[in-house]
Amino acid sequence: MSLVLDSAAQDLLFREARTANTFTDEPVTDEQVRAIYDLIKYGPTSMNQSPLRVTLVRSPEARERLVRHMAEGNQSKTAAAPLVAILSADNEFHEELPQLFPHFPQAKDAFFGERPVRESAAALNAALQAAYFIIGVRAAGLAAGPMTGYDMEGVRKEFLDDDHTPLMVVNIGRPGPDAWFPRNPRLEYEQVVTTV
């Protein structure tokens, strides 16, 4: 059986997409970011937890503060990208559950009363949403450069608070010259899928 999604969309989202390393100077607008979020918010999370939080780094001062916390190989990319997003997990996501999971508002306290439980749930579900975010950036015709090479604690202290755990930093924009490294190999179906 073939996929329902047409081949061009498959290429845009997966087969031809790469992690971008250079970008043009074309701005990424708030409207584009809103359109990305309005698409990816429908991606599933457990009990509709939706713990992903996005901090857009737009001002030159904030960009300079962020670049200081990036690994050396990521600093120039982050400094030059039209937009940078810090994706984090909100460890107090349960406060929104009465709105997000209205048929069982008691879930907030019944399942997530203890902080370690919330942190574990937030990390897993925000990571899912971070993947949706990258796909959403691609769906908008933009390129994403997700990175985990940074000082996590430094970024948390600089931009977030104790209730948020940074997951990744994502450079966003139109791909620039020589934006792509060669595609790395992937595992084949038989290496990944087991039938029992």
Side-chain angles (χ1 to χ4, degrees):
M1 176 180 181
S2 62
L3 299 175
V4 173
L5 194 66
D6 71 57
S7 185
Q10 293 173 41
D11 288 345
L12 176 71
L13 299 178
F14 293 99
R15 288 193 294 252
E16 298 300 324
R18 304 278 199 288
T19 294
N21 293 287
T22 68
F23 297 92
T24 69
D25 58 3
E26 182 180 332
V28 177
T29 67
D30 288 336
E31 292 78 15
Q32 288 171 301
V33 176
R34 179 176 293 277
I36 291 165
Y37 177 73
D38 285 341
L39 173 66
I40 65 114
K41 70 184 179 185
Y42 295 108
T45 58
S46 176
M47 297 177 73
N48 202 28
Q49 291 171 24
S50 305
L52 181 72
R53 301 297 179 262
V54 180
T55 303
L56 300 178
V57 181
R58 286 207 180 272
S59 74
E61 298 80 18
R63 182 74 61 100
E64 186 176 310
R65 288 170 30 223
L66 176 59
V67 167
R68 286 195 302 258
H69 296 290
M70 301 304 295
E72 186 176 341
N74 292 331
Q75 289 180 347
S76 61
K77 294 186 278 191
T78 301
L83 179 63
V84 182
I86 300 168
L87 304 187
S88 63
D90 182 357
N91 296 307
E92 297 299 312
F93 70 87
H94 69 307
E95 297 295 343
E96 307 297 336
L97 281 181
Q99 172 191 342
L100 295 174
F101 206 60
H103 57 282
F104 185 37
Q106 304 89 336
K108 170 183 181 265
D109 298 314
F111 295 110
F112 303 108
E114 296 184 21
R115 177 68 179 240
V117 173
R118 289 197 305 274
E119 288 178 351
S120 177
L124 172 64
N125 288 282
L128 281 173
Q129 289 186 285
Y132 304 148
F133 184 86
I134 293 166
I135 300 301
V137 167
R138 293 172 177 177
L142 300 169
M147 299 170 292
T148 56
Y150 63 93
D151 173 5
M152 182 182 288
E153 187 59 19
V155 166
R156 188 192 62 73
K157 286 180 179 177
E158 192 82 42
F159 293 96
L160 305 170
D161 59 31
D162 289 339
D163 290 332
H164 294 79
T165 303
L167 300 172
M168 66 182 67
V169 174
V170 183
N171 295 329
I172 304 168
R174 300 249 179 238
D178 301 316
W180 321 117
F181 295 147
R183 165 88 64 200
N184 284 319
R186 297 298 194 264
L187 295 175
E188 294 300 323
Y189 178 87
E190 294 75 15
Q191 295 173 278
V192 175
V193 178
T194 303
T195 303
V196 295

